Amino acid sequence: MEPLLVEQRGTVRWLLFNRPERRNALDVTLIEALDKQITSAEADPGTAVIAVAGRGPGFCAGGDFHQFLELHERGDNPVDFLADVSACFSRIAASPKPWVAVVHGHAVAGGLELALACDVVVAADTTLIGDGHLNRRLVPAGGSSVRLPGAVGRGLRRR
């Protein structure tokens, strides 16, 4: 099964996370596919806007803990993967084309970081949005510690 589905609807390129069984958690394959689509969409004159959404019950649950466990069991360091996530989200934030995160269900940890990298976030009113990195002793490698204060403003970031 493809981890990322691509649909061109007029001038909007839809990137649909297709890992509903894992709550659309980010893994190496999904980040590689997303990174390739950034290049493709930016080079396509027929694409004016890039929209990213999740299939199934939620947008994105962040990093795939099963993959982190596999990396640990192999003796690999997850820093390379986290650097790839950070670079991918930084490319989205710096893209010359507008990005829209269409969020439903949940957008937590890396899902929140992806949404923050986008220019516009459209969320269902029942969406759970949060960042649990510190609760799990993880580093927010996708940029939430930098982007969140600017997105929510001074008042909310001080709470």
Side-chain angles (χ1 to χ4, degrees):
M1 184 161 60
E2 293 295 318
L4 185 69
L5 302 178
V6 180
E7 297 177 10
Q8 190 74 30
R9 301 180 199 164
T11 60
V12 179
R13 180 169 301 193
W14 282 85
L15 305 179
L16 305 166
F17 289 173
N18 189 33
R19 301 186 74 224
E21 74 287 353
R22 293 271 194 228
R23 297 177 50 212
N24 292 318
L26 305 169
D27 69 353
V28 170
T29 306
L30 182 54
I31 290 297
E32 286 175 353
L34 183 58
D35 195 60
K36 286 178 186 174
Q37 280 303 313
I38 295 169
T39 301
S40 176
E42 287 179 350
D44 181 8
T47 297
V49 176
I50 303 137
V52 61
R55 293 195 63 229
F59 178 68
C60 178
D64 188 334
F65 287 120
H66 289 90
Q67 180 175 1
F68 288 129
L69 181 59
E70 289 172 11
L71 290 170
H72 174 72
E73 288 174 349
R74 287 196 316 250
D76 292 338
N77 190 326
V79 171
D80 291 337
F81 170 66
L82 296 174
D84 290 344
V85 171
S86 179
C88 183
F89 291 179
S90 291
R91 287 188 67 200
I92 290 170
S95 179
K97 297 196 179 185
W99 280 73
V100 178
V102 181
V103 182
H104 74 287
H106 54 270
V108 295
L112 168 63
E113 292 176 311
L114 173 58
L116 288 170
C118 293
D119 299 293
V120 175
V121 178
V122 178
D125 60 2
T126 57
T127 304
L128 170 67
I129 299 173
D131 190 2
H133 284 102
L134 294 179
N135 294 341
R136 297 189 180 270
R137 298 182 180 149
L138 298 172
V139 174
S144 63
S145 59
V146 174
R147 292 187 184 105
L148 186 60
V152 300
R154 180 183 164 107
L156 287 177
R157 73 179 182 218
R158 298 188 76 177
R159 292 185 184 182

